[in-house]
């Protein structure tokens, strides 16, 4: 899962990038409202974390402009502004959630998962496609009577496929979903992830469509 982090404080941004990385997320960081709008409008992120106290363009303005332009990416406001009026305003103009600093990263991760479930129309922390089931909270995959808790990148790969069962994902699309802007990606990175997932279960858990990519059947 790629996350867009909009935060002008470099120390906070570095800490959040590291902490969210340990939770299995790839984080792309921008430090201004203008760059945030460009990134949101270009798409590719599962969730955006938006600070309000940004230079030039305030976070509320970023949020309002993004929604007016048709951006549907889930946006969680992450800010030190704890006034009730700010929380109400943020939610009313399009935020999916609002969390006040300081907070525990485990809570932020849980809120991210909850927002993603709502956008997917799911009430519980579980995704299913054909014979594959995922527990989003524990990173556990279930397949044909087997279960395994996967490392973050392997789980993210399976999750991307399960969220769109029957859809064929090319190598480029999977790399875009799994890796952040600054990460160096080996040419065989996706093949290696698929190899390890299949090794834990069975080669049929992820189907290869020759010349096109990979998919999980409906």
């Amino acid at each position: 899962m790629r996350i867009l982090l909009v935060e002008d404080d470099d120390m906070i941004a570095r800490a959040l990038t590291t902490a969210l990385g340990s939770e299995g997320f790839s984080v792309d960081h921008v430090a201004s409202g203008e760059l945030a709008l460009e990134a949101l409008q270009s798409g590719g992120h599962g969730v955006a974390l938006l600070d309000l106290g940004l230079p030039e363009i305030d976070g509320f303005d970023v949020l309002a402009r993004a929604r007016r332009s048709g951006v549907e990416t889930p946006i969680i406001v992450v800010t030190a502004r704890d006034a009730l009026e700010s929380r109400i305003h943020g939610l009313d103009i399009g935020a999916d959630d609002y969390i006040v600093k300081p907070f525990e990263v485990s809570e932020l991760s849980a809120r991210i998962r909850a927002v993603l479930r709502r956008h997917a129309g799911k009430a519980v922390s579980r995704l299913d496609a054909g014979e594959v089931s995922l527990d989003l909270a524990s990173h556990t995959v279930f397949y044909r009577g087997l279960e395994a808790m996967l490392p973050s990148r392997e789980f993210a790969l399976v999750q991307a496929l399960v969220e769109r069962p029957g859809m064929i994902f090319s190598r480029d699309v999977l790399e875009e979903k799994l890796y952040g802007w600054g990460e160096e990606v080996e040419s065989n990175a996706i093949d290696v992830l698929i190899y390890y997932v299949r090794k834990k279960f069975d080669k049929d858990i992820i189907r290869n469509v020759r010349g096109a990519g990979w998919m999980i059947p409906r």
Side-chain angles (χ1 to χ4, degrees):
M1 174 63 65
R2 286 178 61 201
I3 290 178
L4 176 65
L5 173 61
V6 186
E7 171 61 65
D8 68 325
D9 186 310
D10 286 339
M11 184 177 297
I12 293 175
R14 287 196 299 269
L16 275 177
T17 298
T18 299
L20 290 170
S22 69
E23 295 279 324
F25 300 107
S26 292
V27 180
D28 295 327
H29 170 231
V30 296
S32 73
E34 184 176 347
L35 291 175
L37 282 170
E38 291 179 6
L40 285 167
Q41 289 164 353
S42 67
H45 295 97
V47 175
L49 305 178
L50 176 64
D51 185 31
L52 296 180
L54 300 172
E56 299 177 3
I57 305 176
D58 183 76
F60 280 145
D61 289 335
V62 171
L63 177 57
R65 292 188 197 183
R67 292 310 188 211
R68 284 199 302 268
S69 67
V71 171
E72 297 181 355
T73 302
I75 298 175
I76 300 175
V77 171
V78 180
T79 181
R81 300 183 194 175
D82 60 355
L84 176 61
E85 293 79 6
S86 292
R87 299 199 301 271
I88 292 172
H89 181 59
L91 295 169
D92 279 345
I93 64 174
D96 293 87
D97 201 353
Y98 192 112
I99 185 169
V100 177
K101 302 172 184 176
F103 52 81
E104 295 292 334
V105 173
S106 56
E107 180 187 359
L108 178 59
S109 296
R111 287 174 179 265
I112 291 171
R113 293 193 297 270
V115 164
L116 291 172
R117 289 200 304 273
R118 291 200 296 272
H119 272 254
K122 304 286 185 181
V124 296
S125 184
R126 191 175 179 104
L127 291 176
D128 301 285
E131 298 178 280
V132 184
S133 294
L134 278 66
D135 186 314
L136 300 178
S138 66
H139 280 199
T140 301
V141 174
F142 304 85
Y143 179 72
R144 293 182 178 176
L146 300 173
E147 65 177 86
M149 184 181 298
L150 301 188
S152 58
R153 198 79 78 179
E154 293 173 28
F155 188 84
L157 169 72
V158 179
Q159 181 178 343
L161 297 171
V162 166
E163 287 177 339
R164 296 291 186 272
M167 179 176 175
I168 301 170
F169 287 82
S170 68
R171 184 185 310 278
D172 289 344
V173 170
L174 287 173
E175 288 178 354
E176 182 180 342
K177 283 183 170 292
L178 269 60
Y179 297 94
W181 291 332
E183 293 184 82
E184 293 187 9
V185 184
E186 298 291 337
S187 60
N188 66 338
I190 299 299
D191 304 80
V192 171
L193 292 175
I194 291 172
Y195 168 79
Y196 282 119
V197 172
R198 286 172 168 170
K199 186 176 181 181
K200 294 180 176 72
F201 296 97
D202 180 271
K203 64 180 180 64
D204 288 336
I205 187 172
I206 296 175
R207 306 286 179 86
N208 175 247
V209 181
R210 187 175 298 276
W214 297 270
M215 52 91 77
I216 284 178
R218 294 183 182 278

